[in-house]
Amino acid sequence: MGCVSPTLDQIRRVPKVLLHDHLDGGLRPATIVELAAEHGYRNLPTSEPVELDSWMRTAAVRGQLELYLEAFQHTVGVMQTPDALIRAAAECAEDLAADGVAYAEVRFAPELHVSAGLSLDQVVQAVLEGFRIGSSGRGIRVYALLTAMRTAARSLEIAELAVRHRDEGVVGFDIAGAEAGSPPSRHLDAFRYVARENFHITIHAGEGFGLPSIWEAVQWCGAERLGHGVRIIDDIAVEPDGSARIGRLASYIRDRRIPLEMCPTSNVHTGAARSITEHPIGLLRRLSFRVTVNTDNRLMSGVTLSSEFAALCEAFGYSLQDVQWLTINAMKSAFAPFDERLELINTVIKPGFAAAMAPAVSVRAGLSPAAPGYRRPGAGG
Protein backbone atom coordinates (compact mmCIF):
# COMPACT_ATOMS: atom_id res chain seq x y z
CA MET A 1 0.00 0.00 0.00
CA GLY A 2 1.28 3.45 -0.85
CA CYS A 3 1.58 6.44 1.43
CA VAL A 4 0.36 9.38 -0.68
CA SER A 5 -3.36 9.38 -1.46
CA PRO A 6 -4.22 10.81 -4.89
CA THR A 7 -6.78 13.52 -5.45
CA LEU A 8 -10.08 12.90 -7.23
CA ASP A 9 -8.72 14.77 -10.21
CA GLN A 10 -5.64 12.55 -10.40
CA ILE A 11 -7.79 9.44 -10.20
CA ARG A 12 -10.09 10.74 -12.92
CA ARG A 13 -7.14 11.14 -15.28
CA VAL A 14 -5.80 7.58 -15.05
CA PRO A 15 -7.33 4.78 -17.17
CA LYS A 16 -9.79 2.67 -15.22
CA VAL A 17 -11.75 -0.56 -15.71
CA LEU A 18 -15.40 -1.07 -14.71
CA LEU A 19 -16.94 -4.55 -14.51
CA HIS A 20 -20.15 -3.97 -12.53
CA ASP A 21 -22.37 -1.11 -13.67
CA HIS A 22 -26.11 -1.25 -14.36
CA LEU A 23 -27.39 0.64 -17.38
CA ASP A 24 -30.73 1.42 -15.72
CA GLY A 25 -28.87 2.60 -12.61
CA GLY A 26 -26.85 5.28 -14.37
CA LEU A 27 -29.21 7.48 -16.37
CA ARG A 28 -28.83 11.24 -16.25
CA PRO A 29 -31.74 12.79 -14.31
CA ALA A 30 -32.44 15.27 -17.13
CA THR A 31 -32.64 12.38 -19.58
CA ILE A 32 -35.18 10.57 -17.40
CA VAL A 33 -37.35 13.69 -17.29
CA GLU A 34 -37.11 14.25 -21.05
CA LEU A 35 -37.81 10.61 -21.92
CA ALA A 36 -40.77 10.56 -19.54
CA ALA A 37 -42.25 13.59 -21.32
CA GLU A 38 -41.58 12.14 -24.77
CA HIS A 39 -43.09 8.73 -24.03
CA GLY A 40 -45.91 9.63 -21.67
CA TYR A 41 -44.47 8.14 -18.50
CA ARG A 42 -46.36 9.90 -15.71
CA ASN A 43 -45.13 8.18 -12.56
CA LEU A 44 -42.01 10.25 -11.84
CA PRO A 45 -41.97 11.69 -8.30
CA THR A 46 -40.87 15.03 -9.81
CA SER A 47 -40.19 16.44 -13.26
CA GLU A 48 -37.37 18.70 -12.07
CA PRO A 49 -33.97 17.06 -12.80
CA VAL A 50 -32.18 18.31 -9.69
CA GLU A 51 -35.04 17.23 -7.45
CA LEU A 52 -35.25 13.87 -9.22
CA ASP A 53 -31.52 13.34 -8.70
CA SER A 54 -31.97 14.00 -4.99
CA TRP A 55 -35.06 11.77 -4.80
CA MET A 56 -33.22 8.86 -6.44
CA ARG A 57 -30.36 9.09 -3.99
CA THR A 58 -32.64 9.43 -0.98
CA ALA A 59 -34.76 6.47 -2.11
CA ALA A 60 -31.65 4.32 -2.45
CA VAL A 61 -30.15 5.10 0.96
CA ARG A 62 -32.51 2.96 3.02
CA GLY A 63 -30.23 0.14 4.10
CA GLN A 64 -32.02 -2.75 2.41
CA LEU A 65 -31.53 -4.24 -1.06
CA GLU A 66 -35.25 -4.66 -1.79
CA LEU A 67 -35.93 -0.98 -0.96
CA TYR A 68 -32.88 0.13 -2.94
CA LEU A 69 -34.29 -1.61 -6.02
CA GLU A 70 -37.58 0.34 -5.94
CA ALA A 71 -36.02 3.40 -7.57
CA PHE A 72 -35.45 1.41 -10.77
CA GLN A 73 -39.14 1.41 -11.66
CA HIS A 74 -38.68 4.96 -12.94
CA THR A 75 -35.51 4.45 -14.98
CA VAL A 76 -36.84 1.23 -16.49
CA GLY A 77 -40.18 2.94 -17.08
CA VAL A 78 -38.64 5.40 -19.55
CA MET A 79 -36.44 2.80 -21.30
CA GLN A 80 -39.05 1.01 -23.41
CA THR A 81 -38.33 2.19 -26.97
CA PRO A 82 -35.32 1.82 -29.28
CA ASP A 83 -34.58 5.55 -29.21
CA ALA A 84 -34.69 5.67 -25.43
CA LEU A 85 -32.41 2.64 -25.09
CA ILE A 86 -29.95 3.98 -27.65
CA ARG A 87 -29.82 7.33 -25.88
CA ALA A 88 -29.37 5.79 -22.43
CA ALA A 89 -26.58 3.52 -23.66
CA ALA A 90 -24.81 6.27 -25.62
CA GLU A 91 -24.89 8.65 -22.66
CA CYS A 92 -23.63 5.86 -20.40
CA ALA A 93 -20.57 5.40 -22.62
CA GLU A 94 -20.02 9.16 -22.78
CA ASP A 95 -20.23 9.56 -19.01
CA LEU A 96 -17.86 6.68 -18.33
CA ALA A 97 -15.35 7.98 -20.86
CA ALA A 98 -15.50 11.43 -19.27
CA ASP A 99 -14.60 9.78 -15.96
CA GLY A 100 -11.51 8.15 -17.46
CA VAL A 101 -12.91 4.64 -17.84
CA ALA A 102 -11.02 2.84 -20.63
CA TYR A 103 -12.94 -0.46 -20.52
CA ALA A 104 -16.43 -1.18 -19.23
CA GLU A 105 -18.89 -4.04 -19.06
CA VAL A 106 -22.36 -2.59 -18.52
CA ARG A 107 -25.23 -4.90 -17.61
CA PHE A 108 -28.95 -4.68 -18.16
CA ALA A 109 -31.98 -6.98 -18.04
CA PRO A 110 -33.61 -7.17 -21.51
CA GLU A 111 -36.80 -8.67 -20.05
CA LEU A 112 -37.49 -5.37 -18.24
CA HIS A 113 -37.64 -3.36 -21.48
CA VAL A 114 -40.35 -5.14 -23.47
CA SER A 115 -43.54 -3.62 -22.03
CA ALA A 116 -44.05 -1.40 -25.10
CA GLY A 117 -43.74 -4.29 -27.52
CA LEU A 118 -40.03 -4.59 -28.23
CA SER A 119 -38.62 -8.06 -28.69
CA LEU A 120 -35.67 -9.15 -26.57
CA ASP A 121 -33.41 -9.02 -29.61
CA GLN A 122 -34.52 -5.48 -30.43
CA VAL A 123 -33.69 -4.40 -26.87
CA VAL A 124 -30.18 -5.81 -27.11
CA GLN A 125 -29.59 -4.36 -30.58
CA ALA A 126 -30.65 -0.88 -29.43
CA VAL A 127 -28.37 -0.94 -26.38
CA LEU A 128 -25.39 -2.18 -28.39
CA GLU A 129 -25.99 0.55 -30.96
CA GLY A 130 -26.00 3.11 -28.17
CA PHE A 131 -22.71 1.81 -26.80
CA ARG A 132 -21.16 2.05 -30.27
CA ILE A 133 -22.36 5.62 -30.71
CA GLY A 134 -21.32 6.78 -27.26
CA SER A 135 -17.88 5.17 -27.28
CA SER A 136 -16.90 6.28 -30.79
CA GLY A 137 -13.80 8.45 -30.66
CA ARG A 138 -13.74 8.59 -26.85
CA GLY A 139 -11.02 6.07 -25.98
CA ILE A 140 -13.35 3.65 -24.24
CA ARG A 141 -14.49 0.12 -25.05
CA VAL A 142 -17.95 -0.80 -23.78
CA TYR A 143 -19.40 -4.30 -23.78
CA ALA A 144 -22.72 -5.62 -22.53
CA LEU A 145 -23.62 -8.21 -19.93
CA LEU A 146 -27.16 -9.58 -20.19
CA THR A 147 -28.91 -10.06 -16.87
CA ALA A 148 -31.85 -12.31 -16.10
CA MET A 149 -34.04 -11.50 -13.12
CA ARG A 150 -33.61 -14.21 -10.53
CA THR A 151 -37.21 -13.80 -9.32
CA ALA A 152 -38.59 -14.49 -12.83
CA ALA A 153 -38.52 -17.56 -15.06
CA ARG A 154 -36.83 -16.31 -18.23
CA SER A 155 -33.20 -17.03 -17.39
CA LEU A 156 -32.67 -19.71 -20.05
CA GLU A 157 -34.23 -17.45 -22.65
CA ILE A 158 -31.92 -14.59 -21.62
CA ALA A 159 -28.93 -16.92 -21.62
CA GLU A 160 -29.73 -17.96 -25.18
CA LEU A 161 -30.15 -14.29 -26.08
CA ALA A 162 -26.70 -13.48 -24.68
CA VAL A 163 -25.05 -16.25 -26.66
CA ARG A 164 -26.94 -15.18 -29.79
CA HIS A 165 -25.39 -11.70 -29.58
CA ARG A 166 -21.93 -12.71 -28.39
CA ASP A 167 -20.25 -11.57 -31.63
CA GLU A 168 -21.95 -8.15 -31.54
CA GLY A 169 -20.78 -6.88 -28.16
CA VAL A 170 -22.34 -9.08 -25.46
CA VAL A 171 -19.62 -10.70 -23.35
CA GLY A 172 -21.48 -12.61 -20.65
CA PHE A 173 -24.56 -13.64 -18.69
CA ASP A 174 -25.68 -12.66 -15.20
CA ILE A 175 -28.61 -12.98 -12.83
CA ALA A 176 -29.69 -10.16 -10.50
CA GLY A 177 -32.47 -9.09 -8.16
CA ALA A 178 -33.34 -9.84 -4.56
CA GLU A 179 -31.13 -12.72 -3.41
CA ALA A 180 -33.04 -13.92 -0.36
CA GLY A 181 -35.36 -16.74 -1.36
CA SER A 182 -34.04 -16.84 -4.94
CA PRO A 183 -30.85 -18.91 -4.95
CA PRO A 184 -28.81 -19.06 -8.15
CA SER A 185 -29.31 -22.82 -8.43
CA ARG A 186 -32.92 -22.18 -9.48
CA HIS A 187 -31.46 -21.07 -12.80
CA LEU A 188 -29.13 -24.01 -13.25
CA ASP A 189 -30.38 -24.82 -16.75
CA ALA A 190 -29.39 -21.34 -17.93
CA PHE A 191 -25.91 -21.55 -16.43
CA ARG A 192 -25.33 -25.01 -17.85
CA TYR A 193 -26.36 -23.78 -21.27
CA VAL A 194 -23.93 -20.85 -21.07
CA ALA A 195 -21.12 -23.16 -19.95
CA ARG A 196 -21.82 -25.59 -22.81
CA GLU A 197 -21.53 -22.66 -25.21
CA ASN A 198 -18.11 -21.72 -23.80
CA PHE A 199 -19.46 -18.34 -22.74
CA HIS A 200 -18.97 -16.25 -19.61
CA ILE A 201 -20.87 -16.19 -16.30
CA THR A 202 -20.97 -13.61 -13.53
CA ILE A 203 -23.56 -13.90 -10.77
CA HIS A 204 -24.89 -11.43 -8.22
CA ALA A 205 -24.10 -13.28 -5.01
CA GLY A 206 -23.09 -12.47 -1.46
CA GLU A 207 -24.75 -9.05 -1.35
CA GLY A 208 -28.25 -9.46 0.08
CA PHE A 209 -27.60 -13.04 1.22
CA GLY A 210 -24.59 -14.80 2.69
CA LEU A 211 -22.18 -17.64 2.09
CA PRO A 212 -24.72 -20.17 0.73
CA SER A 213 -25.44 -17.81 -2.18
CA ILE A 214 -21.72 -17.52 -2.97
CA TRP A 215 -21.18 -21.27 -2.65
CA GLU A 216 -24.06 -22.06 -5.01
CA ALA A 217 -22.93 -19.44 -7.51
CA VAL A 218 -19.44 -20.90 -7.70
CA GLN A 219 -19.88 -24.62 -7.10
CA TRP A 220 -23.26 -25.25 -8.72
CA CYS A 221 -23.53 -22.53 -11.35
CA GLY A 222 -19.94 -22.03 -12.50
CA ALA A 223 -19.58 -18.32 -11.76
CA GLU A 224 -16.31 -16.94 -13.10
CA ARG A 225 -16.85 -13.70 -11.16
CA LEU A 226 -19.02 -12.74 -8.20
CA GLY A 227 -21.20 -9.66 -8.39
CA HIS A 228 -20.44 -7.97 -5.06
CA GLY A 229 -19.38 -11.08 -3.10
CA VAL A 230 -19.02 -8.83 -0.07
CA ARG A 231 -20.39 -11.47 2.32
CA ILE A 232 -17.34 -13.69 1.74
CA ILE A 233 -16.10 -11.79 4.78
CA ASP A 234 -18.40 -14.05 6.85
CA ASP A 235 -15.89 -16.85 6.19
CA ILE A 236 -12.91 -14.88 7.51
CA ALA A 237 -12.13 -14.41 11.20
CA VAL A 238 -9.79 -11.62 12.26
CA GLU A 239 -7.78 -12.35 15.41
CA PRO A 240 -6.97 -9.72 18.05
CA ASP A 241 -3.41 -9.48 16.70
CA GLY A 242 -4.73 -8.59 13.23
CA SER A 243 -4.04 -11.96 11.64
CA ALA A 244 -6.82 -13.63 9.70
CA ARG A 245 -8.19 -17.18 9.67
CA ILE A 246 -9.65 -17.86 6.24
CA GLY A 247 -12.39 -20.48 5.93
CA ARG A 248 -12.61 -23.10 3.22
CA LEU A 249 -14.97 -21.25 0.89
CA ALA A 250 -13.04 -17.99 1.19
CA SER A 251 -9.79 -19.90 0.63
CA TYR A 252 -11.25 -21.47 -2.48
CA ILE A 253 -12.31 -18.06 -3.81
CA ARG A 254 -8.87 -16.62 -3.16
CA ASP A 255 -6.89 -19.63 -4.39
CA ARG A 256 -8.85 -19.81 -7.64
CA ARG A 257 -8.51 -16.01 -8.11
CA ILE A 258 -12.28 -15.67 -8.52
CA PRO A 259 -12.85 -11.92 -8.95
CA LEU A 260 -15.08 -10.01 -6.55
CA GLU A 261 -16.97 -7.16 -8.25
CA MET A 262 -17.11 -4.91 -5.19
CA CYS A 263 -19.25 -1.76 -5.12
CA PRO A 264 -18.44 -0.03 -1.82
CA THR A 265 -20.93 2.85 -1.74
CA SER A 266 -23.79 0.73 -3.03
CA ASN A 267 -22.96 -1.94 -0.44
CA VAL A 268 -23.32 0.68 2.29
CA HIS A 269 -26.64 1.83 0.84
CA THR A 270 -28.06 -1.70 0.69
CA GLY A 271 -26.85 -2.59 4.17
CA ALA A 272 -24.22 -5.09 3.02
CA ALA A 273 -21.52 -2.96 4.69
CA ARG A 274 -21.79 -0.47 7.55
CA SER A 275 -19.51 2.21 6.09
CA ILE A 276 -16.71 2.69 3.57
CA THR A 277 -14.08 2.53 6.31
CA GLU A 278 -15.57 -0.75 7.55
CA HIS A 279 -16.10 -2.20 4.06
CA PRO A 280 -14.57 -5.69 3.72
CA ILE A 281 -12.64 -4.58 0.63
CA GLY A 282 -9.91 -3.23 2.94
CA LEU A 283 -9.27 -6.63 4.53
CA LEU A 284 -9.79 -8.54 1.29
CA ARG A 285 -7.28 -6.31 -0.50
CA ARG A 286 -4.77 -6.86 2.31
CA LEU A 287 -5.30 -10.63 2.04
CA SER A 288 -4.75 -10.48 -1.76
CA PHE A 289 -8.19 -11.57 -2.89
CA ARG A 290 -8.92 -10.67 -6.53
CA VAL A 291 -10.92 -7.57 -5.59
CA THR A 292 -12.11 -5.02 -8.14
CA VAL A 293 -13.78 -1.63 -7.62
CA ASN A 294 -17.09 -0.78 -9.28
CA THR A 295 -19.99 1.65 -9.24
CA ASP A 296 -23.10 -0.59 -9.38
CA ASN A 297 -25.63 2.23 -9.87
CA ARG A 298 -24.10 5.64 -10.49
CA LEU A 299 -27.38 7.55 -10.28
CA MET A 300 -28.87 5.92 -7.19
CA SER A 301 -25.61 5.91 -5.26
CA GLY A 302 -24.41 9.28 -6.55
CA VAL A 303 -20.99 7.96 -7.54
CA THR A 304 -18.50 7.65 -10.37
CA LEU A 305 -15.74 5.08 -10.58
CA SER A 306 -13.27 7.85 -9.74
CA SER A 307 -15.23 8.88 -6.65
CA GLU A 308 -15.34 5.25 -5.49
CA PHE A 309 -11.57 5.01 -5.75
CA ALA A 310 -11.18 8.38 -4.01
CA ALA A 311 -13.34 7.18 -1.11
CA LEU A 312 -11.23 4.04 -0.75
CA CYS A 313 -8.01 6.07 -0.92
CA GLU A 314 -9.27 8.26 1.91
CA ALA A 315 -10.51 5.34 3.99
CA PHE A 316 -7.52 3.04 3.58
CA GLY A 317 -4.67 5.35 2.62
CA TYR A 318 -4.38 3.93 -0.87
CA SER A 319 -1.99 5.50 -3.39
CA LEU A 320 -2.11 5.50 -7.18
CA GLN A 321 -0.12 2.25 -7.02
CA ASP A 322 -3.01 0.65 -5.16
CA VAL A 323 -5.48 2.06 -7.68
CA GLN A 324 -3.35 0.54 -10.44
CA TRP A 325 -3.27 -2.83 -8.66
CA LEU A 326 -7.05 -2.82 -8.40
CA THR A 327 -7.43 -1.66 -12.01
CA ILE A 328 -5.20 -4.39 -13.39
CA ASN A 329 -7.14 -6.90 -11.27
CA ALA A 330 -10.27 -5.76 -13.08
CA MET A 331 -8.71 -5.90 -16.53
CA LYS A 332 -7.37 -9.40 -15.88
CA SER A 333 -10.89 -10.39 -14.82
CA ALA A 334 -12.74 -8.90 -17.80
CA PHE A 335 -14.64 -11.08 -20.26
CA ALA A 336 -13.00 -9.56 -23.33
CA PRO A 337 -10.65 -11.92 -25.20
CA PHE A 338 -7.23 -12.48 -23.64
CA ASP A 339 -5.35 -10.63 -26.38
CA GLU A 340 -7.51 -7.56 -25.88
CA ARG A 341 -7.07 -7.62 -22.12
CA LEU A 342 -3.30 -7.92 -22.48
CA GLU A 343 -3.21 -5.12 -25.02
CA LEU A 344 -5.15 -2.76 -22.74
CA ILE A 345 -2.96 -3.58 -19.75
CA ASN A 346 0.29 -3.04 -21.64
CA THR A 347 -0.62 -0.16 -23.95
CA VAL A 348 -3.22 1.81 -21.99
CA ILE A 349 -3.32 1.02 -18.27
CA LYS A 350 0.35 0.63 -17.34
CA PRO A 351 1.54 3.58 -19.47
CA GLY A 352 -1.31 5.74 -18.16
CA PHE A 353 -0.44 5.06 -14.53
CA ALA A 354 3.30 5.33 -15.18
CA ALA A 355 2.79 8.80 -16.64
CA ALA A 356 0.61 9.82 -13.71
CA MET A 357 3.06 8.54 -11.09
CA ALA A 358 6.32 9.50 -12.76
CA PRO A 359 6.55 13.07 -11.39
CA ALA A 360 5.92 11.95 -7.80
CA VAL A 361 8.36 9.04 -8.06
CA SER A 362 11.00 11.23 -9.70
CA VAL A 363 10.76 13.96 -7.07
CA ARG A 364 10.92 11.53 -4.13
CA ALA A 365 13.79 9.48 -5.54
CA GLY A 366 15.60 12.18 -7.49
CA LEU A 367 15.07 10.17 -10.66
CA SER A 368 13.32 10.56 -13.99
CA PRO A 369 11.51 7.71 -15.75
CA ALA A 370 14.51 7.46 -18.08
CA ALA A 371 17.01 7.15 -15.23
CA PRO A 372 18.65 3.74 -14.60
CA GLY A 373 17.27 3.46 -11.06
CA TYR A 374 13.66 4.20 -11.99
CA ARG A 375 11.22 1.32 -11.47
CA ARG A 376 7.78 1.05 -12.96
CA PRO A 377 5.13 0.08 -10.37
CA GLY A 378 4.03 -3.55 -10.33
CA ALA A 379 0.87 -5.24 -11.55
CA GLY A 380 -2.19 -6.48 -9.74
CA GLY A 381 -3.15 -9.91 -8.54
Side-chain angles (χ1 to χ4, degrees):
M1 193 183 300
C3 57
V4 179
S5 291
T7 65
L8 177 61
D9 215 38
Q10 288 174 313
I11 295 170
R12 191 176 289 120
R13 289 198 297 267
V14 294
K16 294 172 290 296
V17 175
L18 179 58
L19 301 180
H20 193 119
D21 186 81
H22 289 265
L23 179 62
D24 54 354
L27 271 67
R28 300 171 184 173
T31 295
I32 299 172
V33 171
E34 291 172 15
L35 290 176
E38 289 174 17
H39 301 292
Y41 180 81
R42 295 182 173 84
N43 295 330
L44 290 184
T46 174
S47 58
E48 209 290 314
V50 174
E51 292 178 359
L52 181 62
D53 188 21
S54 176
W55 186 93
M56 287 287 184
R57 297 187 194 193
T58 302
V61 187
R62 292 190 282 179
Q64 188 177 336
L65 179 59
E66 288 78 7
L67 296 175
Y68 181 92
L69 296 175
E70 284 183 10
F72 289 86
Q73 64 183 307
H74 302 300
T75 54
V76 169
V78 301
M79 297 169 66
Q80 299 297 328
T81 67
D83 288 348
L85 289 165
I86 290 170
R87 177 176 176 178
E91 291 180 351
C92 170
E94 292 170 7
D95 292 345
L96 295 180
D99 189 43
V101 176
Y103 176 95
E105 293 176 8
V106 179
R107 61 192 73 193
F108 64 100
E111 65 194 90
L112 299 181
H113 303 281
V114 297
S115 63
L118 290 180
S119 69
L120 293 172
D121 289 282
Q122 287 173 324
V123 171
V124 174
Q125 289 161 356
V127 171
L128 293 177
E129 176 64 13
F131 287 157
R132 283 190 287 270
I133 293 170
S135 60
S136 179
R138 289 188 169 85
I140 185 174
R141 305 181 196 188
V142 184
Y143 291 102
L145 292 168
L146 299 195
T147 298
M149 301 310 296
R150 66 200 309 150
T151 52
R154 304 188 72 174
S155 55
L156 179 56
E157 189 179 5
I158 302 303
E160 292 169 342
L161 180 72
V163 170
R164 195 154 62 242
H165 292 276
R166 67 189 303 175
D167 296 325
E168 302 162 32
V170 175
V171 291
F173 172 71
D174 171 39
I175 62 169
E179 278 186 82
S182 300
S185 57
R186 285 189 179 179
H187 305 275
L188 201 54
D189 55 347
F191 293 120
R192 286 178 172 170
Y193 169 78
V194 173
R196 287 197 303 272
E197 292 295 327
N198 304 308
F199 205 38
H200 295 294
I201 297 169
T202 178
I203 299 177
H204 277 74
E207 179 192 19
F209 202 66
L211 296 176
S213 178
I214 295 174
W215 181 82
E216 281 201 11
V218 172
Q219 305 298 2
W220 278 78
C221 304
E224 299 166 67
R225 300 195 317 236
L226 292 170
H228 299 286
V230 67
R231 296 287 295 277
I232 196 66
I233 198 71
D234 295 349
D235 201 35
I236 302 173
V238 179
E239 304 293 354
D241 64 359
S243 62
R245 286 188 295 107
I246 304 177
R248 289 180 177 174
L249 178 59
S251 292
Y252 185 91
I253 297 297
R254 185 174 69 164
D255 292 348
R256 293 296 183 96
R257 314 309 295 146
I258 294 174
L260 304 175
E261 304 166 355
M262 312 209 90
C263 309
T265 299
S266 175
N267 293 155
V268 173
H269 290 167
T270 62
R274 286 186 291 189
S275 67
I276 297 294
T277 55
E278 297 173 280
H279 195 283
I281 194 171
L283 176 62
L284 295 170
R285 158 75 175 97
R286 178 164 65 84
L287 295 174
S288 296
F289 280 76
R290 178 68 72 81
V291 290
T292 68
V293 179
N294 303 276
T295 52
D296 202 14
N297 300 291
R298 288 170 287 114
L299 170 61
M300 286 72 173
S301 289
V303 297
T304 63
L305 185 54
S306 294
S307 76
E308 287 290 78
F309 273 118
L312 294 176
C313 288
E314 181 179 354
F316 302 112
Y318 290 165
S319 70
L320 274 180
Q321 286 180 311
D322 296 291
V323 175
Q324 177 182 248
W325 188 89
L326 291 160
T327 298
I328 291 179
N329 274 356
M331 197 67 250
K332 286 180 176 179
S333 307
F335 288 158
F338 174 76
D339 288 348
E340 184 174 349
R341 284 180 276 147
L342 199 61
E343 175 212 345
L344 283 166
I345 289 172
N346 289 329
T347 68
V348 176
I349 296 170
K350 286 186 177 179
F353 276 89
M357 291 187 284
V361 172
S362 301
V363 169
R364 287 199 304 272
L367 299 170
S368 72
Y374 177 77
R375 280 184 166 186
R376 178 171 291 180

